[in-house]
Amino acid sequence: KISSIHEIISIEEDRLAEPTLLQSVPLIGASSGTFNGFNGSGQAVAILDTGVDKNHVDLSGRVISEACYSTSNPFSGIQSLCADRSTASIATGSAMPYANGICPRGECDHGTHVAGTAAGAQGVGRGASLIAIQVFSLFPPSYCGSGATAPCALSYSSDQIKGLERVRQLSGSMSVASANMSLG
């Protein structure tokens, strides 16, 4: 509770981001499947995205922690994409895309793709473990660009910050090499 205006340090807009991914592997110089001979063994890579399908054949057994931070605002038609439809969860399965049946097919594949690139069986850090953090919400077409007729997945910066706070918390008990946020 703020008792006076003088207690406010700053105010920032809660901005929206969409999933993006251009030429990640060539950009980091890892076209050979490793980065300077390292494969990520003993490290964890956090993927803050649309969730990670931990049952995908290339990712099976690699997800060691899951979380979801997803805004819900019924008045605006914004829906949480957490598996249990909550706005925050660190339960097993909480970062599984499509688990709650809300996200339209194709809208929540991005995180699994990014996870595969980062630490999948053929990924850059194929020896690394994954921390899957779902930070997207489902927005009605009016938020999804000019002429959009279908809902889309977008991420608020506040959900991204909660995801990064989770990564920081986990870094006290595991070796976290990086946090990937392919957002724009």
Side-chain angles (χ1 to χ4, degrees):
K1 180 179 175 185
I2 297 173
S3 59
S4 85
I5 191 77
H6 302 291
E7 293 182 38
I8 299 173
I9 297 170
S10 70
I11 297 174
E12 294 183 33
E13 181 181 356
D14 200 2
R15 297 177 186 247
L16 288 173
E18 60 187 9
T20 61
L21 181 67
L22 290 175
Q23 44 186 304
S24 58
V25 175
L27 187 64
I28 63 170
S31 299
S32 67
T34 62
F35 186 69
N36 292 334
F38 295 99
N39 72 355
S41 292
Q43 302 290 314
V45 176
I47 306 295
L48 284 75
D49 212 297
T50 60
V52 174
D53 182 357
K54 64 183 179 181
N55 298 322
H56 188 284
V57 65
D58 287 342
L59 303 175
S60 182
R62 296 181 188 277
V63 175
I64 59 170
S65 180
E66 297 176 74
C68 180
Y69 304 98
S70 182
T71 296
S72 178
N73 184 336
F75 299 108
S76 299
I78 301 166
Q79 299 177 67
S80 169
L81 289 175
C82 291
D84 63 0
R85 297 187 186 207
S86 69
T87 57
S89 176
I90 58 171
T92 299
S94 61
M96 286 290 286
Y98 307 111
N100 69 10
I102 293 174
C103 197
R105 286 282 161 208
E107 277 298 311
C108 291
D109 295 334
H110 191 263
T112 300
H113 177 82
V114 170
T117 301
Q122 302 302 313
V124 175
R126 60 187 63 151
S129 299
L130 289 163
I131 300 168
I133 303 178
Q134 200 294 116
V135 294
F136 279 76
S137 300
L138 188 67
F139 284 76
S142 60
Y143 287 84
C144 302
S146 179
T149 59
C152 63
L154 299 171
S155 178
Y156 275 117
S157 52
S158 58
D159 290 326
Q160 296 162 30
I161 290 167
K162 290 172 191 171
L164 288 169
E165 288 171 345
R166 176 68 178 159
V167 173
R168 183 168 187 240
Q169 179 185 33
L170 291 171
S171 71
S173 62
M174 61 182 70
S175 183
V176 180
S178 66
N180 179 290
M181 298 174 63
S182 295
L183 314 172

